Amino acid sequence: MPHTYDDQNIFAKILRGEIPNKTVTETDHTLAFEDIAPQAPHHVLVIPKGPYVTIDHFAAEANEVETMDFWRTFGRIIADLGVIDPGYRVLSNAGVHGLQEVPHFHLHVLAGRSLGPILVR
Ligand code: 5GP
């Protein structure tokens, strides 16, 4: 099974309120909160509330309401951060080669400085 959800992952615990977080915004289907180890002046994690392991899992199995809610919330976060200009970076690590640490789909939103090359070996 490529997408077996582990409900003991740290973001599942955050969603259940078992671990605190610095919430940026929350909707019925989406939560955005500050990364605990920010890599840029703004480092926000955007997650669906549903049990999706990776971005491809979410793309394949989230329903229309979850999908719309997620992307509209993402768009509002970018606007609210005020970073449409000069820009930002979004990335989502998946699986072993992606070095995904937390097996609950999340977007990293990085902004607030020039972010350098996309990959550093
Ligand atoms: P990944 O490597 O899975 O793409 O990234 C996981 C991210 O989650 C990392 O940037 C890490 O700093 C962040 N993170 C891990 N544990 C916690 C936590 O308990 N709270 C918050 N806010 N972020 C966390």
Side-chain angles (χ1 to χ4, degrees), residues 47-84:
I47 70 172
K49 291 186 174 179
Y52 302 105
V53 180
T54 58
I55 190 169
D56 61 277
H57 189 201
F58 181 76
E61 295 193 14
N63 66 33
E64 289 183 18
V65 172
E66 292 173 305
T67 301
M68 284 296 290
D69 186 276
F70 184 84
W71 291 110
R72 292 285 194 254
T73 302
F74 161 72
R76 277 199 306 279
I77 290 165
I78 297 299
D80 290 350
L81 288 174
V83 298
I84 293 172

mmCIF file of all heavy atoms in Angstrom, residues 47-84:
data_model
loop_
_atom_site.group_PDB
_atom_site.id
_atom_site.type_symbol
_atom_site.label_atom_id
_atom_site.label_comp_id
_atom_site.label_asym_id
_atom_site.label_seq_id
_atom_site.Cartn_x
_atom_site.Cartn_y
_atom_site.Cartn_z
ATOM 1 N N ILE A 47 -1.639 22.232 5.681
ATOM 2 C CA ILE A 47 -2.011 20.810 5.642
ATOM 3 C C ILE A 47 -3.528 20.651 5.518
ATOM 4 O O ILE A 47 -4.294 21.435 6.090
ATOM 5 C CB ILE A 47 -1.493 20.044 6.882
ATOM 6 C CG1 ILE A 47 -2.233 20.426 8.166
ATOM 7 C CG2 ILE A 47 -0.002 20.244 7.056
ATOM 8 C CD1 ILE A 47 -1.872 19.546 9.381
ATOM 9 N N PRO A 48 -3.938 19.622 4.782
ATOM 10 C CA PRO A 48 -5.359 19.269 4.832
ATOM 11 C C PRO A 48 -5.632 18.574 6.159
ATOM 12 O O PRO A 48 -4.737 17.963 6.753
ATOM 13 C CB PRO A 48 -5.510 18.299 3.652
ATOM 14 C CG PRO A 48 -4.180 17.644 3.528
ATOM 15 C CD PRO A 48 -3.164 18.676 3.963
ATOM 16 N N LYS A 49 -6.875 18.655 6.615
ATOM 17 C CA LYS A 49 -7.226 17.958 7.856
ATOM 18 C C LYS A 49 -7.453 16.461 7.622
ATOM 19 O O LYS A 49 -7.400 15.684 8.574
ATOM 20 C CB LYS A 49 -8.464 18.599 8.480
ATOM 21 C CG LYS A 49 -8.170 19.998 9.022
ATOM 22 C CD LYS A 49 -9.348 20.588 9.767
ATOM 23 C CE LYS A 49 -8.950 21.910 10.407
ATOM 24 N NZ LYS A 49 -10.087 22.543 11.131
ATOM 25 N N GLY A 50 -7.688 16.084 6.396
ATOM 26 C CA GLY A 50 -7.909 14.676 6.082
ATOM 27 C C GLY A 50 -6.604 13.888 6.087
ATOM 28 O O GLY A 50 -5.510 14.457 6.035
ATOM 29 N N PRO A 51 -6.730 12.535 6.126
ATOM 30 C CA PRO A 51 -5.569 11.656 6.295
ATOM 31 C C PRO A 51 -4.858 11.346 4.976
ATOM 32 O O PRO A 51 -4.928 10.232 4.461
ATOM 33 C CB PRO A 51 -6.193 10.399 6.905
ATOM 34 C CG PRO A 51 -7.557 10.343 6.294
ATOM 35 C CD PRO A 51 -7.998 11.781 6.152
ATOM 36 N N TYR A 52 -4.133 12.322 4.470
ATOM 37 C CA TYR A 52 -3.414 12.145 3.213
ATOM 38 C C TYR A 52 -1.915 12.160 3.489
ATOM 39 O O TYR A 52 -1.414 13.040 4.185
ATOM 40 C CB TYR A 52 -3.805 13.240 2.221
ATOM 41 C CG TYR A 52 -5.290 13.245 1.964
ATOM 42 C CD1 TYR A 52 -6.110 14.218 2.529
ATOM 43 C CD2 TYR A 52 -5.877 12.240 1.214
ATOM 44 C CE1 TYR A 52 -7.483 14.195 2.343
ATOM 45 C CE2 TYR A 52 -7.248 12.205 1.016
ATOM 46 C CZ TYR A 52 -8.044 13.192 1.584
ATOM 47 O OH TYR A 52 -9.400 13.144 1.397
ATOM 48 N N VAL A 53 -1.211 11.197 2.914
ATOM 49 C CA VAL A 53 0.202 10.996 3.234
ATOM 50 C C VAL A 53 1.097 11.951 2.437
ATOM 51 O O VAL A 53 2.061 12.514 2.973
ATOM 52 C CB VAL A 53 0.605 9.532 2.969
ATOM 53 C CG1 VAL A 53 2.076 9.301 3.291
ATOM 54 C CG2 VAL A 53 -0.278 8.576 3.776
ATOM 55 N N THR A 54 0.792 12.096 1.154
ATOM 56 C CA THR A 54 1.643 12.880 0.252
ATOM 57 C C THR A 54 0.777 13.755 -0.656
ATOM 58 O O THR A 54 -0.444 13.585 -0.738
ATOM 59 C CB THR A 54 2.473 11.951 -0.661
ATOM 60 O OG1 THR A 54 1.553 11.124 -1.384
ATOM 61 C CG2 THR A 54 3.452 11.110 0.138
ATOM 62 N N ILE A 55 1.432 14.643 -1.390
ATOM 63 C CA ILE A 55 0.691 15.525 -2.289
ATOM 64 C C ILE A 55 -0.022 14.717 -3.376
ATOM 65 O O ILE A 55 -1.152 15.047 -3.750
ATOM 66 C CB ILE A 55 1.625 16.613 -2.882
ATOM 67 C CG1 ILE A 55 0.805 17.670 -3.632
ATOM 68 C CG2 ILE A 55 2.726 16.026 -3.738
ATOM 69 C CD1 ILE A 55 1.612 18.918 -4.011
ATOM 70 N N ASP A 56 0.604 13.649 -3.867
ATOM 71 C CA ASP A 56 -0.069 12.850 -4.903
ATOM 72 C C ASP A 56 -1.260 12.099 -4.326
ATOM 73 O O ASP A 56 -2.290 11.931 -5.002
ATOM 74 C CB ASP A 56 0.927 11.882 -5.565
ATOM 75 C CG ASP A 56 1.514 10.898 -4.583
ATOM 76 O OD1 ASP A 56 2.484 11.256 -3.876
ATOM 77 O OD2 ASP A 56 1.025 9.774 -4.490
ATOM 78 N N HIS A 57 -1.167 11.686 -3.074
ATOM 79 C CA HIS A 57 -2.294 11.033 -2.400
ATOM 80 C C HIS A 57 -3.460 12.011 -2.293
ATOM 81 O O HIS A 57 -4.605 11.676 -2.617
ATOM 82 C CB HIS A 57 -1.827 10.574 -1.014
ATOM 83 C CG HIS A 57 -2.805 9.706 -0.284
ATOM 84 N ND1 HIS A 57 -2.764 9.549 1.084
ATOM 85 C CD2 HIS A 57 -3.850 8.951 -0.716
ATOM 86 C CE1 HIS A 57 -3.737 8.726 1.461
ATOM 87 N NE2 HIS A 57 -4.410 8.347 0.390
ATOM 88 N N PHE A 58 -3.164 13.243 -1.857
ATOM 89 C CA PHE A 58 -4.211 14.273 -1.755
ATOM 90 C C PHE A 58 -4.808 14.555 -3.127
ATOM 91 O O PHE A 58 -6.039 14.622 -3.285
ATOM 92 C CB PHE A 58 -3.602 15.539 -1.154
ATOM 93 C CG PHE A 58 -4.583 16.663 -0.967
ATOM 94 C CD1 PHE A 58 -5.504 16.636 0.076
ATOM 95 C CD2 PHE A 58 -4.579 17.751 -1.825
ATOM 96 C CE1 PHE A 58 -6.405 17.676 0.250
ATOM 97 C CE2 PHE A 58 -5.478 18.799 -1.649
ATOM 98 C CZ PHE A 58 -6.395 18.755 -0.613
ATOM 99 N N ALA A 59 -3.956 14.697 -4.134
ATOM 100 C CA ALA A 59 -4.439 15.003 -5.487
ATOM 101 C C ALA A 59 -5.354 13.906 -6.013
ATOM 102 O O ALA A 59 -6.343 14.176 -6.702
ATOM 103 C CB ALA A 59 -3.253 15.203 -6.427
ATOM 104 N N ALA A 60 -5.034 12.658 -5.665
ATOM 105 C CA ALA A 60 -5.811 11.543 -6.184
ATOM 106 C C ALA A 60 -7.102 11.306 -5.417
ATOM 107 O O ALA A 60 -8.109 10.904 -6.007
ATOM 108 C CB ALA A 60 -4.959 10.263 -6.153
ATOM 109 N N GLU A 61 -7.097 11.552 -4.093
ATOM 110 C CA GLU A 61 -8.209 11.052 -3.277
ATOM 111 C C GLU A 61 -9.013 12.099 -2.524
ATOM 112 O O GLU A 61 -10.108 11.792 -2.038
ATOM 113 C CB GLU A 61 -7.684 9.998 -2.298
ATOM 114 C CG GLU A 61 -7.162 8.767 -3.030
ATOM 115 C CD GLU A 61 -6.913 7.583 -2.117
ATOM 116 O OE1 GLU A 61 -7.376 7.584 -0.960
ATOM 117 O OE2 GLU A 61 -6.235 6.650 -2.585
ATOM 118 N N ALA A 62 -8.516 13.330 -2.410
ATOM 119 C CA ALA A 62 -9.310 14.347 -1.709
ATOM 120 C C ALA A 62 -10.551 14.675 -2.532
ATOM 121 O O ALA A 62 -10.516 14.659 -3.771
ATOM 122 C CB ALA A 62 -8.465 15.606 -1.499
ATOM 123 N N ASN A 63 -11.642 14.975 -1.826
ATOM 124 C CA ASN A 63 -12.852 15.330 -2.565
ATOM 125 C C ASN A 63 -12.793 16.806 -2.992
ATOM 126 O O ASN A 63 -11.854 17.538 -2.655
ATOM 127 C CB ASN A 63 -14.113 14.978 -1.766
ATOM 128 C CG ASN A 63 -14.251 15.811 -0.498
ATOM 129 O OD1 ASN A 63 -13.860 16.975 -0.452
ATOM 130 N ND2 ASN A 63 -14.833 15.217 0.535
ATOM 131 N N GLU A 64 -13.813 17.230 -3.749
ATOM 132 C CA GLU A 64 -13.778 18.584 -4.316
ATOM 133 C C GLU A 64 -13.805 19.652 -3.231
ATOM 134 O O GLU A 64 -13.139 20.691 -3.355
ATOM 135 C CB GLU A 64 -14.955 18.780 -5.273
ATOM 136 C CG GLU A 64 -14.797 17.989 -6.551
ATOM 137 C CD GLU A 64 -15.930 18.232 -7.526
ATOM 138 O OE1 GLU A 64 -16.648 19.235 -7.389
ATOM 139 O OE2 GLU A 64 -16.100 17.396 -8.425
ATOM 140 N N VAL A 65 -14.559 19.422 -2.185
ATOM 141 C CA VAL A 65 -14.648 20.420 -1.105
ATOM 142 C C VAL A 65 -13.291 20.574 -0.421
ATOM 143 O O VAL A 65 -12.813 21.693 -0.198
ATOM 144 C CB VAL A 65 -15.744 20.021 -0.096
ATOM 145 C CG1 VAL A 65 -15.722 20.931 1.115
ATOM 146 C CG2 VAL A 65 -17.111 20.053 -0.774
ATOM 147 N N GLU A 66 -12.668 19.440 -0.098
ATOM 148 C CA GLU A 66 -11.339 19.489 0.543
ATOM 149 C C GLU A 66 -10.325 20.167 -0.377
ATOM 150 O O GLU A 66 -9.487 20.965 0.077
ATOM 151 C CB GLU A 66 -10.847 18.070 0.847
ATOM 152 C CG GLU A 66 -11.619 17.330 1.900
ATOM 153 C CD GLU A 66 -11.162 15.882 1.992
ATOM 154 O OE1 GLU A 66 -11.166 15.165 0.965
ATOM 155 O OE2 GLU A 66 -10.806 15.457 3.111
ATOM 156 N N THR A 67 -10.387 19.822 -1.641
ATOM 157 C CA THR A 67 -9.410 20.339 -2.604
ATOM 158 C C THR A 67 -9.570 21.852 -2.773
ATOM 159 O O THR A 67 -8.575 22.602 -2.723
ATOM 160 C CB THR A 67 -9.589 19.620 -3.955
ATOM 161 O OG1 THR A 67 -9.409 18.221 -3.751
ATOM 162 C CG2 THR A 67 -8.587 20.101 -4.980
ATOM 163 N N MET A 68 -10.787 22.297 -2.958
ATOM 164 C CA MET A 68 -11.024 23.738 -3.113
ATOM 165 C C MET A 68 -10.630 24.491 -1.855
ATOM 166 O O MET A 68 -9.998 25.542 -1.913
ATOM 167 C CB MET A 68 -12.503 24.006 -3.427
ATOM 168 C CG MET A 68 -12.898 23.697 -4.837
ATOM 169 S SD MET A 68 -12.048 24.771 -6.017
ATOM 170 C CE MET A 68 -12.856 26.330 -5.653
ATOM 171 N N ASP A 69 -11.022 23.941 -0.710
ATOM 172 C CA ASP A 69 -10.718 24.591 0.563
ATOM 173 C C ASP A 69 -9.206 24.728 0.737
ATOM 174 O O ASP A 69 -8.704 25.790 1.132
ATOM 175 C CB ASP A 69 -11.317 23.770 1.704
ATOM 176 C CG ASP A 69 -11.159 24.455 3.046
ATOM 177 O OD1 ASP A 69 -10.089 24.309 3.674
ATOM 178 O OD2 ASP A 69 -12.102 25.140 3.457
ATOM 179 N N PHE A 70 -8.486 23.663 0.415
ATOM 180 C CA PHE A 70 -7.032 23.674 0.587
ATOM 181 C C PHE A 70 -6.378 24.760 -0.276
ATOM 182 O O PHE A 70 -5.605 25.588 0.221
ATOM 183 C CB PHE A 70 -6.457 22.295 0.238
ATOM 184 C CG PHE A 70 -4.980 22.188 0.480
ATOM 185 C CD1 PHE A 70 -4.488 21.893 1.735
ATOM 186 C CD2 PHE A 70 -4.074 22.395 -0.557
ATOM 187 C CE1 PHE A 70 -3.116 21.807 1.965
ATOM 188 C CE2 PHE A 70 -2.709 22.311 -0.332
ATOM 189 C CZ PHE A 70 -2.238 22.015 0.928
ATOM 190 N N TRP A 71 -6.714 24.761 -1.572
ATOM 191 C CA TRP A 71 -6.019 25.684 -2.476
ATOM 192 C C TRP A 71 -6.448 27.131 -2.275
ATOM 193 O O TRP A 71 -5.635 28.054 -2.396
ATOM 194 C CB TRP A 71 -6.167 25.235 -3.928
ATOM 195 C CG TRP A 71 -5.398 23.968 -4.169
ATOM 196 C CD1 TRP A 71 -5.888 22.729 -4.411
ATOM 197 C CD2 TRP A 71 -3.957 23.824 -4.109
ATOM 198 N NE1 TRP A 71 -4.856 21.821 -4.514
ATOM 199 C CE2 TRP A 71 -3.677 22.455 -4.335
ATOM 200 C CE3 TRP A 71 -2.903 24.710 -3.880
ATOM 201 C CZ2 TRP A 71 -2.365 21.968 -4.342
ATOM 202 C CZ3 TRP A 71 -1.599 24.218 -3.889
ATOM 203 C CH2 TRP A 71 -1.346 22.858 -4.123
ATOM 204 N N ARG A 72 -7.724 27.342 -1.957
ATOM 205 C CA ARG A 72 -8.161 28.712 -1.664
ATOM 206 C C ARG A 72 -7.504 29.219 -0.377
ATOM 207 O O ARG A 72 -7.137 30.385 -0.267
ATOM 208 C CB ARG A 72 -9.682 28.780 -1.535
ATOM 209 C CG ARG A 72 -10.426 28.544 -2.829
ATOM 210 C CD ARG A 72 -10.338 29.773 -3.735
ATOM 211 N NE ARG A 72 -11.299 29.680 -4.810
ATOM 212 C CZ ARG A 72 -10.991 29.412 -6.085
ATOM 213 N NH1 ARG A 72 -9.739 29.213 -6.446
ATOM 214 N NH2 ARG A 72 -11.932 29.348 -6.993
ATOM 215 N N THR A 73 -7.358 28.341 0.600
ATOM 216 C CA THR A 73 -6.692 28.747 1.844
ATOM 217 C C THR A 73 -5.230 29.073 1.575
ATOM 218 O O THR A 73 -4.713 30.095 2.062
ATOM 219 C CB THR A 73 -6.819 27.627 2.899
ATOM 220 O OG1 THR A 73 -8.200 27.362 3.122
ATOM 221 C CG2 THR A 73 -6.150 28.025 4.209
ATOM 222 N N PHE A 74 -4.591 28.228 0.788
ATOM 223 C CA PHE A 74 -3.207 28.513 0.397
ATOM 224 C C PHE A 74 -3.112 29.897 -0.256
ATOM 225 O O PHE A 74 -2.247 30.711 0.088
ATOM 226 C CB PHE A 74 -2.700 27.432 -0.562
ATOM 227 C CG PHE A 74 -1.514 27.842 -1.364
ATOM 228 C CD1 PHE A 74 -0.267 27.962 -0.778
ATOM 229 C CD2 PHE A 74 -1.649 28.168 -2.711
ATOM 230 C CE1 PHE A 74 0.828 28.382 -1.509
ATOM 231 C CE2 PHE A 74 -0.564 28.587 -3.450
ATOM 232 C CZ PHE A 74 0.678 28.697 -2.847
ATOM 233 N N GLY A 75 -4.015 30.182 -1.195
ATOM 234 C CA GLY A 75 -3.980 31.476 -1.878
ATOM 235 C C GLY A 75 -4.154 32.650 -0.918
ATOM 236 O O GLY A 75 -3.483 33.680 -1.050
ATOM 237 N N ARG A 76 -5.043 32.470 0.044
ATOM 238 C CA ARG A 76 -5.257 33.551 1.034
ATOM 239 C C ARG A 76 -4.019 33.756 1.891
ATOM 240 O O ARG A 76 -3.674 34.888 2.243
ATOM 241 C CB ARG A 76 -6.455 33.223 1.929
ATOM 242 C CG ARG A 76 -7.801 33.597 1.324
ATOM 243 C CD ARG A 76 -8.878 33.696 2.391
ATOM 244 N NE ARG A 76 -8.971 32.481 3.188
ATOM 245 C CZ ARG A 76 -9.626 31.381 2.795
ATOM 246 N NH1 ARG A 76 -10.238 31.356 1.637
ATOM 247 N NH2 ARG A 76 -9.655 30.317 3.569
ATOM 248 N N ILE A 77 -3.341 32.672 2.238
ATOM 249 C CA ILE A 77 -2.122 32.793 3.057
ATOM 250 C C ILE A 77 -1.066 33.602 2.303
ATOM 251 O O ILE A 77 -0.440 34.504 2.874
ATOM 252 C CB ILE A 77 -1.589 31.393 3.429
ATOM 253 C CG1 ILE A 77 -2.542 30.729 4.414
ATOM 254 C CG2 ILE A 77 -0.179 31.480 4.012
ATOM 255 C CD1 ILE A 77 -2.325 29.237 4.561
ATOM 256 N N ILE A 78 -0.878 33.293 1.036
ATOM 257 C CA ILE A 78 0.113 34.037 0.243
ATOM 258 C C ILE A 78 -0.253 35.511 0.196
ATOM 259 O O ILE A 78 0.600 36.397 0.389
ATOM 260 C CB ILE A 78 0.201 33.447 -1.184
ATOM 261 C CG1 ILE A 78 0.688 32.000 -1.152
ATOM 262 C CG2 ILE A 78 1.079 34.314 -2.080
ATOM 263 C CD1 ILE A 78 2.066 31.794 -0.575
ATOM 264 N N ALA A 79 -1.537 35.805 -0.030
ATOM 265 C CA ALA A 79 -1.968 37.204 -0.068
ATOM 266 C C ALA A 79 -1.782 37.866 1.297
ATOM 267 O O ALA A 79 -1.268 38.992 1.396
ATOM 268 C CB ALA A 79 -3.427 37.276 -0.516
ATOM 269 N N ASP A 80 -2.167 37.169 2.361
ATOM 270 C CA ASP A 80 -2.075 37.751 3.709
ATOM 271 C C ASP A 80 -0.627 37.984 4.131
ATOM 272 O O ASP A 80 -0.338 38.934 4.868
ATOM 273 C CB ASP A 80 -2.761 36.843 4.734
ATOM 274 C CG ASP A 80 -4.273 36.822 4.574
ATOM 275 O OD1 ASP A 80 -4.811 37.647 3.813
ATOM 276 O OD2 ASP A 80 -4.911 35.955 5.217
ATOM 277 N N LEU A 81 0.281 37.103 3.684
ATOM 278 C CA LEU A 81 1.700 37.306 4.012
ATOM 279 C C LEU A 81 2.268 38.514 3.266
ATOM 280 O O LEU A 81 3.321 39.032 3.639
ATOM 281 C CB LEU A 81 2.524 36.057 3.653
ATOM 282 C CG LEU A 81 2.360 34.820 4.536
ATOM 283 C CD1 LEU A 81 3.145 33.643 3.949
ATOM 284 C CD2 LEU A 81 2.836 35.095 5.967
ATOM 285 N N GLY A 82 1.594 38.908 2.196
ATOM 286 C CA GLY A 82 2.054 40.060 1.414
ATOM 287 C C GLY A 82 3.279 39.754 0.576
ATOM 288 O O GLY A 82 4.124 40.627 0.365
ATOM 289 N N VAL A 83 3.373 38.507 0.091
ATOM 290 C CA VAL A 83 4.593 38.084 -0.601
ATOM 291 C C VAL A 83 4.384 37.760 -2.086
ATOM 292 O O VAL A 83 5.290 37.207 -2.719
ATOM 293 C CB VAL A 83 5.257 36.891 0.119
ATOM 294 C CG1 VAL A 83 5.685 37.289 1.527
ATOM 295 C CG2 VAL A 83 4.340 35.664 0.153
ATOM 296 N N ILE A 84 3.199 38.092 -2.614
ATOM 297 C CA ILE A 84 3.000 37.843 -4.048
ATOM 298 C C ILE A 84 4.135 38.520 -4.825
ATOM 299 O O ILE A 84 4.718 37.937 -5.742
ATOM 300 C CB ILE A 84 1.608 38.330 -4.481
ATOM 301 C CG1 ILE A 84 0.534 37.454 -3.810
ATOM 302 C CG2 ILE A 84 1.470 38.311 -6.000
ATOM 303 C CD1 ILE A 84 -0.882 37.948 -3.994
#
